[in-house]
Amino acid sequence: MSTLLDFRDGVKNFCSKYDKFVSPLCKFILALVVFWSINHLTGYNSTISSIVVVLAAAFVCAFLSGQLTLAIAGLYACARLPAQVWSLESHLLSYL
């Protein structure tokens, strides 16, 4: 039990000492997962499906607040919506 408490204290000290770097890194990873998930759950759109766009959006969101990150993710999902509708429409028309 003592080793777990020592480990926890070590992690807390590391995070408090390097908070300038740890916090944006965690935000970047979380934003990358969010944008990657949106990318793979919606249809293909050649202009914004690029990994460069996803990495750039995640990098920008790493330095913004959580609310702005959610707003940008919502706008990103809405921008991908026409590709999803077009894909669904072409599938439905193929059955006719």
Side-chain angles (χ1 to χ4, degrees):
M1 187 64 158
S2 170
T3 56
L4 288 175
L5 291 174
D6 290 339
F7 177 73
R8 184 192 69 165
D9 289 339
V11 170
K12 282 175 60 175
N13 289 337
F14 178 80
C15 287
S16 65
K17 185 176 181 182
Y18 297 107
D19 187 48
K20 240 190 237 185
F21 305 108
V22 172
S23 181
L25 180 67
C26 291
K27 285 182 181 181
F28 173 77
I29 292 171
L30 184 62
L32 187 64
V33 168
V34 166
F35 289 118
W36 181 81
S37 297
I38 291 171
N39 222 11
H40 286 282
L41 290 174
T42 58
Y44 181 75
N45 187 344
S46 62
T47 50
I48 59 176
S49 290
S50 170
I51 190 68
V52 175
V53 173
V54 171
L55 287 173
F59 181 76
V60 168
C61 289
F63 300 103
L64 299 176
S65 67
Q67 292 85 1
L68 284 174
T69 300
L70 286 175
I72 291 172
L75 290 173
Y76 184 76
C78 288
R80 295 189 52 84
L81 191 60
Q84 186 70 21
V85 170
W86 181 261
S87 173
L88 179 65
E89 183 180 335
S90 65
H91 286 303
L92 290 175
L93 290 177
S94 68
Y95 290 120
L96 294 177

